[in-house]
Amino acid sequence: MAAFGLGARVQQDRREAPREEVYHRTRGMLPGGQTVPLQLVNISAGGFMARTEAEIEPETPLRIRLPLLGEREAEVRWALAGRIGCQFVRPIDLAQYLELLGALAKEVR
């Protein structure tokens, strides 16, 4: 049991940056052109977590549309109980990331 907790901490500690909570509905495009609805839950310059009803396996490439940035390539790193954790193929640069957060914050208002 202790090993599981340690593994969870190690996984969490590997994140490059803290994630910001967001609420953004978008779509992801899977290989072959299938689109799936996504609800972004949190985001960082390096990746995001989303809710989806689609069954998506880890290591699946995914294209996601983001405000101001357009389509970004990502890879599903984990999937569990209707949630997926994804890593961007190329991290978002800081200036673009801050603009993106501003656009996402306006959606919540």
Side-chain angles (χ1 to χ4, degrees):
M1 188 98 156
F4 177 79
L6 177 59
R9 273 196 306 269
V10 170
Q11 177 71 15
Q12 185 177 12
D13 291 345
R14 288 194 322 206
R15 287 187 179 171
E16 293 177 14
R19 295 189 179 211
E20 299 293 328
E21 290 186 26
V22 296
Y23 180 86
H24 177 70
R25 292 182 191 269
T26 189
R27 292 196 171 270
M29 184 178 294
L30 300 171
Q34 177 189 5
T35 60
V36 295
L38 299 174
Q39 168 65 55
L40 292 185
V41 175
N42 65 45
I43 193 165
S44 73
F48 61 91
M49 183 176 80
R51 292 190 177 115
T52 183
E53 293 183 16
E55 292 187 26
I56 305 172
E57 296 293 320
E59 300 182 12
T60 300
L62 178 74
R63 293 179 71 83
I64 184 172
R65 179 168 283 286
L66 295 171
L68 304 176
L69 303 181
E71 288 189 358
R72 300 289 299 200
E73 294 180 13
E75 180 181 276
V76 177
R77 304 299 291 175
W78 59 265
L80 179 66
R83 295 176 297 150
I84 57 173
C86 300
Q87 180 176 1
F88 291 120
V89 172
R90 288 182 330 201
I92 302 168
D93 77 40
L94 182 59
Q96 287 182 324
Y97 179 63
L98 294 174
E99 289 177 14
L100 172 63
L101 289 179
L104 293 171
K106 288 179 184 177
E107 290 180 5
V108 176
R109 292 181 191 166

